[in-house]
Amino acid sequence: MKYIHLIILAVLLAACGGGKKTASMQAGGDTVAFKYATQISVVKYDGFAVATIKNPWKEGMTLHRYVLVPADKDVPQHLPSGTVIRTPLKQAVMFTTVHCAMLMEFGKQNSISGVADLKYIKIPWIQEQVAKGRITDVGDGMSPVIEKIIDEHPDALFLSPFENSGGYGKLDDINIPIIECADYMETSPLARAEWLRFYGMLFGCEQRADSLFQSVDKSYHHLKALAAKAKTSPSVLLDKVTGSVWYVPAGKSTIGQMIKDANAQYPWADDEHSGSISLPFETVLERAGESDVWLFRYSSDHDITFGELANEHHGYDQFKAYNNKEVYGCDVERSPFYEESPFHPERLLNDFIQIFHPEIEGLAPLRFYTKVNH
């Protein structure tokens, strides 16, 4: 047993030695300072960079590690483990509308060679390019047409990871790097927006992305400071019944944080979850029935009316905001809510402040929400 212990100890020491070698190599790199983002870290070395994305659902675990190597340089020897990405990416298949909009803002729209879930991409230019055959529609995001993706020879696929997804099926087998866009799991709006900097590194427009984020950051704090001076702090109810439940943003969600930054009261502000909470109608009525303002998102080809709301659910007329006609809707079909708000939270914050504090002057007009008419 003594000798067995010695052998195990020798193996462990050898493993530790290997770990030290990697650690010393990483210690020689320059860590990119992220101001808000907590789910990603980037360290730059001579000839490559390492981007590590945390697993949002398993604390202390890594979701994915990427090794970024400039395409005009040889791949260095002894790279750390991870998915090698040759930068800048020239062609990519995008699975989300927000990341398509981001590339257009980078001026890299010609890098979009394919898209999934086209019906959810409300960007006219993308729709036109697909119609002209310049961008390929690869089908449903949950079960894309693999052959169409392979035919495009993309440098990477951009898609959103989900908890317990069990991988990406056939996409895992076609030897095309998958960029897992976990930005939506950040718990503050500016933390999510800061992922612009990582995406800028991938597409060779790091300075442009950094500059864009700095502008977003500055505007957001300017608006937050304006809201803080408001003399009132109204209470806010969000979204509406879907099927048999009411999904409300959790207290630690980016929307929950923005309600606070807009100097308003949110009934679920003390909730510790991120994402959404599913609740029965009665619970929402009990907790938020006296809210001063009601904001919700909907999907339609026309502005929703109070009559349509009443027909959707007989209980809406029990809410104070409904009876006081302080109701605002965001039609996601005709507004760029999903395209813009994740990486431009300052634009959504402006809407919130405009609605909650109409006395504040100098704000931009409403961009996403409109007041519901009779």
Side-chain angles (χ1 to χ4, degrees):
M1 288 299 294
K2 180 180 179 182
Y3 289 111
I4 291 172
H5 283 139
L6 286 172
I7 291 169
I8 292 171
L9 184 60
V11 170
L12 287 174
L13 286 171
C16 290
K20 285 180 181 175
K21 184 178 178 183
T22 306
S24 66
M25 180 190 69
Q26 293 189 350
D30 295 320
T31 300
V32 175
F34 281 93
K35 194 172 180 181
Y36 307 103
T38 61
Q39 298 298 314
I40 187 169
S41 61
V42 177
V43 182
K44 293 184 176 181
Y45 302 97
D46 183 24
F48 66 96
V50 177
T52 304
I53 297 175
K54 292 181 182 178
N55 188 321
W57 304 285
K58 294 180 180 176
E59 194 169 345
M61 302 290 284
T62 295
L63 180 69
H64 212 129
R65 180 176 290 110
Y66 300 98
V67 183
L68 282 50
V69 181
D72 59 355
K73 293 184 179 179
D74 294 333
V75 177
Q77 292 183 330
H78 310 301
L79 283 177
S81 62
T83 301
V84 175
I85 307 286
R86 303 308 300 269
T87 59
L89 297 172
K90 301 291 187 189
Q91 301 289 312
V93 173
M94 315 301 290
F95 280 61
T96 64
T97 188
V98 61
H99 297 101
C100 287
M102 172 195 74
L103 285 186
M104 293 189 70
E105 194 160 15
F106 284 169
K108 296 290 183 178
Q109 60 267 31
N110 290 330
S111 296
I112 304 172
S113 61
V115 292
D117 288 329
L118 180 64
K119 63 184 177 182
Y120 298 121
I121 298 177
K122 312 297 181 186
I123 303 171
W125 184 84
I126 299 276
Q127 296 283 344
E128 290 167 10
Q129 298 304 302
V130 171
K132 292 176 181 176
R134 294 173 184 167
I135 292 178
T136 300
D137 176 5
V138 302
D140 184 89
M142 299 303 289
S143 56
V145 182
I146 300 297
E147 292 75 17
K148 287 188 175 182
I149 294 176
I150 293 172
D151 288 346
E152 285 303 313
H153 303 290
D155 301 318
L157 312 175
F158 282 69
L159 41 77
S160 298
F162 294 97
E163 187 176 12
N164 301 322
S165 67
Y168 300 103
K170 293 180 180 178
L171 292 178
D172 288 326
D173 302 327
I174 57 177
N175 203 30
I176 297 172
I178 294 174
I179 307 298
E180 299 196 77
C181 303
D183 50 76
Y184 78 98
M185 287 302 296
E186 293 284 357
T187 57
S188 83
L190 288 174
R192 182 177 191 180
E194 194 169 19
W195 277 59
L196 285 169
R197 300 175 60 201
F198 167 57
Y199 297 130
M201 295 174 196
L202 294 175
F203 284 93
C205 49
E206 186 175 351
Q207 286 186 326
R208 183 183 178 96
D210 286 355
S211 176
L212 178 60
F213 174 69
Q214 287 171 12
S215 174
V216 169
D217 187 17
K218 183 178 178 181
S219 296
Y220 191 97
H221 278 96
H222 170 71
L223 289 166
K224 182 180 176 181
L226 283 179
K229 296 176 183 176
K231 293 182 173 60
T232 59
S233 184
S235 51
V236 184
L237 168 66
L238 293 174
D239 292 324
K240 56 192 181 77
V241 172
T242 303
S244 61
V245 296
W246 192 316
Y247 292 98
V248 300
K252 295 297 183 184
S253 67
T254 54
I255 296 292
Q257 179 66 51
M258 292 177 76
I259 296 295
K260 180 181 178 182
D261 291 343
N263 193 4
Q265 306 300 314
Y266 184 49
W268 287 272
D270 59 351
D271 180 88
E272 292 296 317
H273 297 90
S274 57
S276 295
I277 323 166
S278 60
L279 300 169
F281 176 88
E282 293 74 20
T283 301
V284 176
L285 178 61
E286 181 182 351
R287 193 160 181 174
E290 291 299 306
S291 294
D292 299 307
V293 186
W294 180 17
L295 277 66
F296 61 80
R297 290 166 288 184
Y298 67 102
S299 178
S300 178
D301 60 1
H302 64 275
D303 290 344
I304 197 168
T305 65
F306 277 98
E308 287 174 293
L309 273 177
N311 289 334
E312 276 188 24
H313 199 285
H314 62 84
Y316 286 155
D317 61 3
Q318 298 178 66
F319 287 89
K320 172 184 170 182
Y322 178 95
N323 291 307
N324 289 348
K325 301 296 187 282
E326 282 299 318
V327 183
Y328 294 79
C330 168
D331 185 355
V332 297
E333 293 289 331
R334 296 180 297 144
S335 81
F337 181 87
Y338 289 122
E339 285 74 24
E340 293 185 5
S341 62
F343 294 136
H344 277 288
E346 83 285 6
R347 295 176 184 173
L348 183 55
L349 183 64
N350 181 89
D351 267 25
F352 286 167
I353 297 171
Q354 180 83 263
I355 292 168
F356 304 153
H357 310 291
E359 75 280 3
I360 294 179
E361 298 178 351
L363 297 173
L366 290 177
R367 188 176 187 88
F368 308 110
Y369 286 88
T370 56
K371 196 163 189 176
V372 176
N373 294 317
H374 300 283

